[in-house]
Amino acid sequence: GNAVREAEKSLGESDPQVLHLRGLIAWMEGDHERAGGFLLQASDAGPTDATIYLDTAEFLYEAGGEADEIEAVLRVMLDMDEI
């Protein structure tokens, strides 16, 4: 929607926050393939927002993801200076 377009304009389409929003929207719409792609891209981009890692881990868990993959996402978050 409009919020995502505005975020893309100000932050860029590859910004972790934009990818996170796109992932959440796809997840809510039931498009798990796109949701997983966007959320993993957001986490891989090294965001400073712990919520992105938590949402990615929750998505992976609910989608039946591998425990190692979920743990890796959470470990990155736990290694952040500020949570």
Side-chain angles (χ1 to χ4, degrees):
N2 289 338
V4 174
R5 279 194 289 276
E6 290 299 318
E8 282 180 345
K9 281 182 188 177
S10 64
L11 301 172
E13 65 183 35
S14 62
D15 183 86
Q17 292 176 328
V18 172
L19 294 167
H20 180 233
L21 285 173
R22 288 195 168 281
L24 291 177
I25 291 167
W27 187 6
M28 286 187 284
E29 292 175 345
D31 189 344
H32 291 176
E33 186 173 328
R34 286 184 60 232
F38 284 128
L39 290 170
L40 287 170
Q41 286 179 60
S43 291
D44 289 346
T48 56
D49 182 355
T51 305
I52 294 174
Y53 295 106
L54 288 173
D55 287 343
T56 301
E58 182 180 356
F59 170 81
L60 290 171
Y61 176 78
E62 288 188 13
E66 296 291 322
D68 291 346
E69 186 177 27
I70 297 166
E71 181 182 354
V73 170
L74 293 174
R75 283 193 181 279
V76 172
M77 181 198 68
L78 292 172
D79 286 341
M80 295 173 66
D81 290 334
E82 293 182 27
I83 298 179

